[in-house]
Structures are given as structure tokens and as C-alpha cells.
Amino acid sequence: MKAFDIQKSPIQGAFLIEASAGTGKTFSLIRIVLRLLMETDIRIDQILVVTYTKAAASELKSRLQSLLTEIKEQIDGTPPGQPVHFEDATLNELFMTWDPSLVVKKLSNALDGIDDCCIS
């Protein structure tokens, strides 16, 4: 089995992330969803994320919404002509690979449709 790399692992098809508590599953799942939204034509209402408990599903959705909001606010708060910088190094590296002309639109669409994302 190949090691999962949030930035480089393919994001096509179905995923199964299996790991012990506290190992970063939620972190990884959120970034997979983020990559799907930013790197493909997939909309948030076309994504299905399944976890084991209602509490985990609620936390996952909340953290996804928080991350999308954080990214949008950081972009909006960065002066024109200046590079966008995030505290999260992984997020910085991912952001550099995305089409800047589409990021804000895709973020806005995802935030507008967050309730249509099926996380259960």
C-alpha cells in the first residue's frame, strides 16, 4: 500500500482512509475535498463523505466550512499584487498549484452550497 500524500496523491475515484484516532483522518479528508473542489470541475453537492459517527460527520462538515472560509478571508484580506500566505504550509503549497482566476469563484460556490455537501 502506498503512503498517502495530501498534495501529490491522485484524487480520482473512491477513497478509504483507515487509521487510528488522532492520526489526521479529518485533516486529510478535508484537504481531499478541498482539492476536489479546486482541481476538478466537481461541485460540493457532488461529493459524498461517509464517516462512522454523527459527531464525526458534524465535526468534518464544520471543519470543512471553517477551512473554506479561512481561505476565502485570507485571499480577500491580501492586498492586490501580494502573494497569499497561509499559516498551514500544506495549504500554501496546494494554493500555488491552483488557478488563481478560479479559486475565489469555486470557494464562494462551495460555501454557498456547503449544506448540499453530503457528509454523513
Side-chain angles (χ1 to χ4, degrees), residues 35-52:
R35 284 190 58 205
L36 285 169
L37 294 170
M38 294 299 122
E39 298 173 20
T40 71
D41 292 329
I42 294 174
R43 297 182 323 268
I44 199 158
D45 64 334
Q46 297 174 305
I47 296 173
L48 168 65
V49 180
V50 179
T51 187
Y52 286 100

Side-chain angles (χ1 to χ4, degrees), residues 8 14 18 20 35 37 40 46 65 69 87-89:
K8 297 179 182 142
E18 184 177 22
S20 302
R35 284 190 58 205
L37 294 170
T40 71
Q46 297 174 305
Q65 185 171 14
T69 301
E87 304 250 342
D88 179 338

Side-chain angles (χ1 to χ4, degrees), residues 5-9 27 31 34-35 38-39 67 71 83-100 103:
D5 182 328
I6 290 171
Q7 296 163 263
K8 297 179 182 142
S9 290
F27 180 90
R31 276 146 184 85
L34 180 63
R35 284 190 58 205
M38 294 299 122
E39 298 173 20
L67 180 62
I71 295 169
V84 178
H85 179 75
F86 303 95
E87 304 250 342
D88 179 338
T90 301
L91 196 51
N92 276 321
E93 291 178 30
L94 286 172
F95 186 78
M96 290 189 314
T97 66
W98 298 334
D99 182 345
V103 171

